[in-house]
Amino acid sequence: MTITNAEISKMLRRIAFLLEMDSNKDDKNINFKNKAYLRAADQIENLPVRLETIYKENGLIGLLQIPSIGKAISSKIEEYLNTGKIEYYEKLQIKYPIDVDDFLGLEGIGPKTLKEILDTTTIRNLNDLESLIKEKKLRRIPGFSEKKEVNLLKKIQSHRIGKSRFLLGDLFPIINQIENYLTGNEKVSKLIVVGSFRRMKETIGDIDLLVVSKHPSDIIDDLITLPEIEEILSRGTSKAFVRLKNGIDLDMLVVPEDSFGSASLYFTGSKEHGIQLRKLAQGRDYRLNEWGLFDNKTGQKLAGDSETEIYNLLGLEWIPPEMRENHGEIEMAKRHSRQWINKIQNLVEYESLKGDLQVHSNNTDGQLSIEEMAYFAKTKFHLDYIAITDHTKSLAIAKGLDEQQLLDQLIKINEINDRIKSGDFFVEENRPKSNRDRNNYLKEAGTKNLKDNRNKDDKKFRILAGAEVNILKDGSLDISNNVLDRLDIIGAAIHSNFSLTEEIQTERLIRAAQNPSVDIIFHPTGRIINKREGYPVNISKLLFTAMETNTVLEIDAHYNRLDLKDEFIRMATDTGVKMVIDSDAHHSLHYAFLKFGIAQARRGWAERDDILNVLPVSDLLKNLK
Ligand code: DGT
Ligand code: CA
Ligand code: CA
Ligand code: ZN
């Protein structure tokens, strides 16, 4: 039996949910327990190595080396891996016989509220809850109202839609595993993941995989024995359609070498982009499909093995997948167009960021110390600077810092910077070790192929002292300007009062941007993909103020935010408003999210000049207000 990371983390989420249901409001211990399960679940979801493998190779000790996995949780994982069950969970399920999965991630009804509903009703799943609302019975329970019913019904609906599309970042580890597994097969000569995944869309409906091989049937056999697969929906001699255990479908097609380009062009999409290309082909009396580009008159195949060749024969330059949305790229990509060639040459590139300007530490809701965040930023992700931007005092749930704590943190950061300048901060012996040794784990965490340039310019690494200041209801900040001005960089963000009108929200952001201490507006619309739409903002007005005040807008690279959206990024580049791409890291592993921010920027056609943190730190600072 194989149990995937996704299954384990889901199981931990179920336990966390039931634990929270089971807790009294003021039982600190239980609250702590349930959060520990959630942290472990987050960690496991982002793990590039299968837990089962770690367990097979190193046993319980191996599990314990993973950050956020302690004794209690590791032994439950062990039990799950060995027996497929966790007794602790089964017991909780007897007490609360509900379909937990239905409620995981449902906004508006958390475990505690559900418990209140269960005290007076016998609902088991989401359908029951929906019926309860439709029968106008929920409002009879204290604390509910007609208005809440209407709201909740909307949330249930968007929850259902959300469940059918997956976040790009959630799929990354599993797609990498499948890619690695198949490319290890000597019968596979080429492999590419196409579809919305190659276009790096924020959410993915299904995974499309294209393989070149002379032995299609063998490859299909190999694919369908993957432990990640739940169900084979259909299989042919050169294609397979399967469902993975995490619920997403995977479409695999094996094609001959000389159709690789045309097939990847076709299946990368978008559909609208493909339709335009086929129109261009028709205009030249050609026919374009997944097998190649053909001349209608002679029936001859003109191209097929390379995308570039096909684009060129259609009179176009090659178009990066992130731009294939029929948003004007086809008109602009005319062959030899200077404008287009410049655009592509200047498009912001993966791996081009020199720093990360939204990083949290364990002084607030981050998981690691400032030293650790700096150490791993440099040694594992090859960044030259980070800004520590912890939350500020009015964000109580994140233990936000007050003025004095910010100034204390500034002193601490200066000390660390001094240690860095002295030259030996980044040597292995000085690796910060907080609670347990995570070396082995980080070694495995996909960093093998990064060049080891340690020592060369270690001394230049710089930690900027910053803050993620909270924007209050009226647009003022919760920290006074004279303290903010002593820090290097300030991001301001909205974390409360989400239901105000567009006019008021825009006014709040404009006022924050007009504040001379604010350098960046963090995650400007506050959305959480599939969960929360974000507060309404008049982006044009915000951009105008940003331009006038030289305020930077952030592209938050965390894959559940990716806020700004691509269309807003394009508006920002058109307005000349500068942006930064930040990981919003609460753990060093989160630096890996930066690539999603870059993808988002590329989907918004942003160029290097539009993104300030491609610059060295001194130039970056010169460009801030
Ligand atoms: P998704 O899966 O909803 O996130 O989005 P895609 O873009 O991956 O869409 P999918 O998986 O349905 O199809 C993959 C690609 O195949 C799509 O981007 C373009 C191509 N394709 C699929 N169906 C059609 C179609 O009916 N017409 C055309 N022209 N292309 C199609
Ligand atoms: Ca797809
Ligand atoms: Ca598909
Ligand atoms: Zn924030």
Side-chain angles (χ1 to χ4, degrees), residues 165 195-196 199 204-206 208 266-271 278:
R165 291 194 68 82
S196 48
R199 305 201 311 281
I204 310 294
D206 72 353
D208 305 281
Y266 184 90
F267 291 108
T268 296
S270 67
K271 191 173 160 184
R278 274 192 295 288

Side-chain angles (χ1 to χ4, degrees), residues 276-553:
Q276 293 309 313
L277 293 185
R278 274 192 295 288
K279 275 193 196 151
L280 283 180
Q282 279 159 15
R284 291 170 184 240
D285 207 8
Y286 297 157
R287 183 164 40 91
L288 177 64
N289 57 33
E290 57 269 51
W291 305 108
L293 180 68
F294 301 88
D295 188 323
N296 275 336
K297 280 193 222 87
T298 62
Q300 194 198 350
K301 183 164 175 173
L302 302 171
D305 62 349
S306 109
E307 282 189 353
T308 309
E309 240 183 303
I310 297 170
Y311 275 117
N312 290 172
L313 284 166
L314 297 176
L316 301 176
E317 296 289 339
W318 182 81
I319 298 176
E322 298 92 331
M323 297 172 81
R324 299 184 192 173
E325 298 292 340
N326 192 28
H327 288 163
E329 73 280 7
I330 293 178
E331 292 74 6
M332 195 173 165
K334 292 275 171 296
R335 192 101 169 93
H336 304 303
S337 148
R338 244 305 111 204
Q339 193 196 9
W340 177 259
I341 291 168
N342 285 341
K343 186 69 174 167
I344 297 309
Q345 276 172 356
N346 296 330
L347 203 64
V348 60
E349 292 155 307
Y350 292 98
E351 315 281 330
S352 65
L353 298 179
K354 291 203 164 62
D356 187 344
L357 301 173
Q358 192 190 157
V359 174
H360 298 265
S361 82
N362 60 6
N363 289 339
T364 59
D365 62 347
Q367 293 181 46
L368 303 183
S369 65
I370 297 174
E371 286 94 330
E372 287 172 297
M373 291 309 282
Y375 183 86
F376 293 118
K378 166 76 187 160
T379 58
K380 303 292 173 193
F381 294 90
H382 307 290
L383 296 174
D384 296 336
Y385 55 92
I386 56 170
I388 297 293
T389 53
D390 275 319
H391 290 288
T392 50
K393 63 185 178 191
S394 60
L395 200 64
I397 45 164
K399 299 182 292 170
L401 306 180
D402 63 20
E403 274 90 349
Q404 189 53 48
Q405 289 168 315
L406 280 170
L407 293 173
D408 291 347
Q409 182 155 292
L410 170 66
I411 293 171
K412 172 109 198 270
I413 288 173
N414 286 339
E415 280 167 15
I416 304 172
N417 276 328
D418 286 343
R419 270 160 60 202
I420 291 172
K421 266 188 224 140
S422 78
D424 60 355
F425 182 84
F426 293 108
V427 299
E428 178 63 23
E429 302 82 79
N430 290 340
R431 179 169 51 81
K433 296 174 187 69
S434 53
N435 33 18
R436 89 177 59 95
D437 188 0
R438 52 179 67 82
N439 188 30
N440 283 342
Y441 162 66
L442 279 161
K443 250 190 221 150
E444 289 184 81
T447 53
K448 282 173 234 135
N449 45 6
L450 293 174
K451 55 184 187 297
D452 185 12
N453 60 358
R454 212 140 46 95
N455 289 332
K456 219 177 97 230
D457 41 37
D458 282 3
K459 292 182 189 178
K460 285 194 213 137
F461 188 89
R462 167 116 183 246
I463 307 171
L464 299 173
E468 176 173 5
V469 198
N470 219 4
I471 301 175
L472 301 173
K473 195 168 178 183
D474 64 354
S476 63
L477 306 179
D478 68 340
I479 300 290
S480 65
N481 278 48
N482 56 14
V483 170
L484 295 181
D485 286 343
R486 296 182 53 187
L487 306 181
D488 298 308
I489 189 161
I490 302 298
I494 286 180
H495 293 104
S496 56
N497 298 104
F498 280 41
S499 53
L500 302 173
T501 63
E502 177 176 310
E503 205 185 343
I504 296 175
Q505 296 295 19
T506 308
E507 207 38 58
R508 284 172 90 187
L509 290 168
I510 285 179
R511 205 171 148 206
Q514 284 168 338
N515 188 312
S517 300
V518 171
D519 301 299
I520 311 170
I521 301 288
F522 281 166
H523 45 73
T525 75
R527 72 159 174 172
I528 306 285
I529 302 174
N530 276 353
K531 289 234 170 97
R532 181 173 88 194
E533 258 185 46
Y535 37 80
V537 183
N538 183 326
I539 289 286
S540 312
K541 280 193 184 158
L542 176 62
L543 284 171
F544 184 75
T545 308
M547 182 189 64
E548 276 193 320
T549 56
N550 191 28
T551 306
V552 177
L553 298 189

Side-chain angles (χ1 to χ4, degrees), residues 75 82 201 281 292 309 419 455 564 595:
S75 70
N82 286 328
K201 293 280 285 184
E309 240 183 303
R419 270 160 60 202
N455 289 332
L564 299 169
K595 62 175 169 289

Side-chain angles (χ1 to χ4, degrees), residues 9-167:
S9 92
K10 188 158 198 183
M11 184 51 99
L12 299 181
R13 286 189 197 287
R14 292 178 187 134
I15 294 176
F17 192 93
L18 293 182
L19 274 177
E20 198 178 337
M21 274 182 84
D22 205 35
S23 70
N24 297 319
K25 277 211 170 71
D26 25 56
D27 187 343
K28 291 243 166 56
N29 192 29
I30 299 244
N31 276 328
F32 176 78
K33 245 160 85 180
N34 109 66
K35 289 213 175 73
Y37 276 91
L38 290 177
R39 258 203 311 277
D42 281 346
Q43 198 66 250
I44 292 166
E45 257 163 27
N46 290 307
L47 217 57
V49 197
R50 202 179 290 147
L51 272 188
E52 192 165 55
T53 314
I54 296 177
Y55 180 66
K56 267 190 197 135
E57 285 170 4
N58 297 311
L60 207 53
I61 307 273
L63 298 181
L64 275 165
Q65 278 177 354
I66 298 163
S68 306
I69 300 189
K71 267 196 203 140
I73 294 180
S74 63
S75 70
K76 297 205 175 56
I77 295 175
E78 179 176 44
E79 181 189 350
Y80 192 37
L81 288 172
N82 286 328
T83 67
K85 279 197 228 160
I86 299 179
E87 207 182 73
Y88 187 63
Y89 174 68
E90 311 261 302
K91 281 194 183 140
L92 284 166
Q93 267 273 258
I94 293 173
K95 196 161 175 194
Y96 301 103
I98 50 163
D99 293 346
V100 184
D101 291 3
D102 266 19
F103 299 101
L104 290 179
L106 173 64
E107 292 263 310
I109 296 260
K112 294 217 172 68
T113 320
L114 189 60
K115 169 94 183 311
E116 281 165 26
I117 299 175
L118 282 175
D119 286 343
T120 51
T121 68
T122 53
I123 63 164
R124 292 187 70 110
N125 52 37
L126 205 55
N127 286 339
D128 294 350
L129 178 61
E130 199 171 6
S131 310
L132 199 69
I133 296 171
K134 288 189 171 150
E135 291 160 15
K136 306 184 178 181
K137 286 185 184 155
L138 188 66
R139 64 182 73 167
R140 292 188 202 157
I141 300 174
F144 288 91
S145 60
E146 189 178 343
K147 196 176 156 203
K148 279 200 174 162
E149 282 183 341
V150 174
N151 247 325
L152 198 55
L153 204 56
K154 269 193 218 148
K155 286 189 168 143
I156 290 174
Q157 278 150 3
S158 68
H159 180 69
R160 289 212 166 100
I161 296 168
K163 283 212 153 170
S164 67
R165 291 194 68 82
F166 288 70
L167 301 189

